[in-house]
Amino acid sequence: MNKILSPLPHIQSKEVKQLLYQLLFACAAVGLGLLVARLIVVDNWQIAAVIIFSIPAAFILQRYPFLAIVVWLLLTPFLMRSGTSSSTMRQVYWVIHRFLPVLTLVAILLPSALGLSRRSLPRLGFPEWMMAGYVLVSITSILLFNNDPRATLYLFYDRVIVPMFLYLIARLSRPDERKIHWLFPVMLFIVWSQSIIGVLSEFSPGVLPKQWVDYESRRTIGTLVNSYTYVIALILSSFFVFHYGMQSPSKIIRNAAVLTLLIASYGIFISFSRTGWLAGILAILGLAAIYPRVMTRLGLVVLPLVFLAAGLFFQKQVAWAHERLTSEQAENSALSRLPVYAAGFNMFSAKPIGGWGYGNFDNYDRQFQVYQFLNITKYNAKDHASHNFFLTIAAEQGLSGIILFTAPLLYWFIQTLKRFPQLPKNGFWSRKILAVFWLALLSHIVIYSFTNMRTVFALGAFWLGIGFVARFLDAHQPE
């Protein structure tokens, strides 16, 4: 009798669980139907359409969650000016940047939580706890100390939470080498579209929308708001394409990869950003360390042609680059930032634990600026914004903020150093692609050290880069 009855509890629990799932989906369907009907009645048909299409999209994303990263990378560069563009573009921005990552995480996590998915998720740990801690500390800081918490929470969601969602998607979707290949056409499109727009803005700006040309500072920005984000996008995309090409047996793809790197290098040059130039030079030197023979041959062939072209066709660009480096205006631009750096350090020294509140740097920095060094008292009238992303975090959120924010980056860097000797040496899915991801992250670190980065594409690419590093190390986790 006991042998006969022993399976019954298992059968009953399984049937009860299945019934609960059916009730849950039925309630969700009824609730969504009522919500959609209500939205249509009040003439919010755009939101109703998003809800309707999110249902089949969720099923697609549950099977192919990596598609969310592909779509985000493709479209976000062209949505950066959504706040000042048409209402349609703002709605697309809401869907792609604010809604798609959330929907993708739900599509990944919900089936696993309900026991409906056979996909095993990687175990999250220290870096993810640090990220959660940073979000919690920042939201608390905004609610307690910010003068406009609602608007700041929107900005925080765009600049911090969504980029962290992208990191989680890169880890939890567990893309293999085949899916990482999907990034090749995406990166190729990014580097060529932004480079062509950059060249047009330099030689024929009138054919472009005004928001894609920086007439005031005469820098190249593409569709990415500022020259810093432009350089970050070019380094990430062109280096990935170059690595892909060097691992391809096709001579056409290899030559296309070399040409892509060259056009991206020219784009970095015409960004006319001194910080961008520094990031680009360091990144290219790192790429030469990964592919020494290819880069040496490329340098021997290309450098003489570059000097020849610079003297014959690009005198205007060379003259402006020289002025950006050596003119009195360039020196003044650099020196005028020193009081702001001093203010950030003094703000941190005054409140080293919790800081002055998220988003409050500009409210307090003038009280802490000093002008008694290097004889730069003439800059006393200038109220510059912060030019150091990490120092801004330290000033606004103290040690708690800067430690929590940088901990995931440092954690995966240490893990990379520990496991690098055991990783595959050659091939696409080898230590070389890991080094390429780290070179892209290096460009972020260099640029963030000289600007307070606020664009969602750059911050999203930053956390995506960390996510790709984490995914690669997960894929090569020793038994």
Side-chain angles (χ1 to χ4, degrees), residues 42-271:
V42 298
D43 201 26
N44 276 338
W45 59 269
Q46 298 95 334
I47 300 178
V50 170
I51 294 175
I52 292 172
F53 285 107
S54 67
I55 297 173
F59 285 100
I60 296 173
L61 292 171
Q62 196 278 326
R63 188 165 184 178
Y64 304 106
F66 196 68
L67 276 176
I69 292 176
V70 171
V71 172
W72 188 90
L73 285 170
L74 275 174
L75 297 183
T76 304
F78 297 92
L79 302 173
M80 302 286 286
R81 296 281 188 178
S82 60
T84 58
S85 59
S86 66
S87 60
T88 301
M89 291 299 292
R90 287 196 296 271
Q91 291 161 6
V92 174
Y93 174 80
W94 268 79
V95 172
I96 299 302
H97 182 71
R98 291 181 173 173
F99 181 65
L100 179 61
V102 178
L103 181 64
T104 306
L105 278 181
V106 172
I108 295 172
L109 296 174
L110 187 60
S112 297
L114 297 177
L116 301 176
S117 175
R118 297 180 181 179
R119 178 189 296 156
S120 60
L121 299 179
R123 180 179 296 179
L124 303 182
F126 173 79
E128 292 75 29
W129 281 112
M130 295 296 99
M131 293 162 63
Y134 179 76
V135 170
L136 181 61
V137 166
S138 300
I139 291 176
T140 303
S141 176
I142 292 171
L143 294 176
L144 292 179
F145 304 113
N146 197 274
N147 295 328
D148 191 358
R150 182 177 179 180
T152 306
L153 283 173
Y154 273 114
L155 293 175
F156 181 77
Y157 178 80
D158 285 346
R159 297 171 181 172
V160 177
I161 295 180
V162 170
M164 287 184 175
F165 283 170
L166 296 173
Y167 163 92
L168 291 174
I169 294 170
R171 281 210 71 192
L172 297 177
S173 63
R174 304 187 71 176
D176 54 15
E177 180 179 350
R178 181 176 60 87
K179 286 191 174 64
I180 296 295
H181 283 186
W182 294 4
L183 293 177
F184 174 71
V186 177
M187 297 299 187
L188 194 65
F189 173 77
I190 291 174
V191 66
W192 278 97
S193 63
Q194 296 301 324
S195 296
I196 290 172
I197 292 171
V199 171
L200 288 175
S201 69
E202 183 65 24
F203 294 98
S204 185
V207 303
L208 297 174
K210 291 182 179 180
Q211 61 267 29
W212 292 359
V213 182
D214 189 353
Y215 290 102
E216 183 178 352
S217 63
R218 294 172 59 191
R219 301 184 197 179
T220 303
I221 61 175
T223 66
L224 294 162
V225 178
N226 59 50
S227 58
Y228 308 117
T229 308
Y230 182 75
V231 170
I232 284 171
L234 289 180
I235 291 175
L236 170 64
S237 55
S238 64
F239 280 29
F240 184 91
V241 169
F242 184 80
H243 170 71
Y244 184 97
M246 292 303 101
Q247 304 304 321
S248 173
S250 170
K251 188 175 181 179
I252 294 176
I253 294 180
R254 290 200 300 272
N255 291 336
V258 171
L259 183 60
T260 299
L261 181 65
L262 293 177
I263 191 65
S265 300
Y266 178 69
I268 294 171
F269 168 72
I270 62 173
S271 71

Side-chain angles (χ1 to χ4, degrees), residues 408-424:
L409 180 71
L410 295 175
Y411 174 86
W412 290 116
F413 182 69
I414 293 171
Q415 292 299 313
T416 299
L417 294 179
K418 285 182 178 180
R419 293 159 55 183
F420 196 80
Q422 288 78 41
L423 297 173

